[in-house]
Amino acid sequence: MTMNIRIGNGYDIHRLVSDRPLILGGVHIPHELGLLGHSDADVLTHAIMDAMLGALSLGDIGHYFPPTDPQWKGADSLVLLQQVNQLIIDQGWQIGNIDSVVVAERPKLKPHIATMRDKLAAVLEVEANQVGVKATTNEKLGPAGREEGICAYAVVLLIAGD
Ligand code: MG
């Protein structure tokens, strides 16, 4: 079936540990805990990438950047995002808009949201107003609420053509 719009959703979670930097949306956020992962564990960027891939039924980021591959150890997730963006462009699609939520009990993310949007938009070559980033606590409930991890949800709308 031919369609000129596609929607995708993505979800990711990473464990919080004491000896890692906290990087969300490509922004290094000062905090005593950081996210554990094979790459830089940027949970927000990972959710966005999965939403972009999902919109075109292209699988997930684990397929393209397997955690077993030493090539991606410590990888800057914005570099991976740029590659996923190129993939969707090569298939004839562009981003209409993205919306996302980061669920973190601490630290306060609001001061960093504008920088995250600017960084993500720059990599994706879209306007910042096409990249929604929101933050919420989990009211101390569940793994995010107990600060065992940080999770992120994203949806993306892709539009055919340029
Ligand atoms: Mg991940």
Side-chain angles (χ1 to χ4, degrees):
M1 187 168 82
T2 303
M3 286 189 298
N4 58 8
I5 58 170
R6 299 287 294 250
I7 192 168
N9 86 95
Y11 166 79
D12 197 19
I13 186 166
H14 282 263
R15 190 179 293 273
L16 277 166
V17 294
S18 57
D19 53 353
R20 293 266 301 183
L22 177 59
I23 296 166
L24 294 171
V27 179
H28 186 183
I29 296 167
H31 192 44
E32 74 267 27
L33 302 173
L35 293 173
L36 183 63
H38 186 65
S39 67
D40 63 5
D42 182 340
V43 70
L44 171 58
T45 302
H46 292 184
I48 290 171
M49 286 193 278
D50 261 358
M52 292 166 70
L53 291 169
L56 297 181
S57 305
L58 290 174
D60 60 39
I61 57 172
H63 173 74
Y64 295 90
F65 313 108
T68 49
D69 187 339
Q71 184 182 354
W72 310 119
K73 185 169 167 53
D76 177 347
S77 292
L78 292 186
V79 172
L80 311 186
L81 180 66
Q82 198 279 331
Q83 291 188 28
V84 169
N85 196 43
Q86 193 58 51
L87 190 65
I88 69 155
I89 290 167
D90 290 347
Q91 301 231 346
W93 296 84
Q94 60 171 315
I95 289 168
N97 75 297
I98 290 168
D99 190 25
S100 62
V101 191
V102 181
V103 186
E105 208 62 33
R106 285 188 315 132
K108 280 274 171 271
L109 299 180
K110 195 175 175 186
H112 306 285
I113 297 262
T115 315
M116 290 183 210
R117 293 176 61 206
D118 287 345
K119 280 212 169 201
L120 293 164
V123 170
L124 295 168
E125 299 186 65
V126 298
E127 300 297 321
N129 67 16
Q130 290 169 273
V131 183
V133 176
K134 306 187 298 297
T136 185
T137 72
N138 219 31
E139 296 288 339
K140 300 196 187 311
L141 296 166
R146 291 190 297 267
E147 300 183 45
E148 294 166 2
I150 289 177
C151 65
Y153 301 85
V155 290
V156 58
L157 187 75
L158 299 184
I159 301 171
D162 49 21

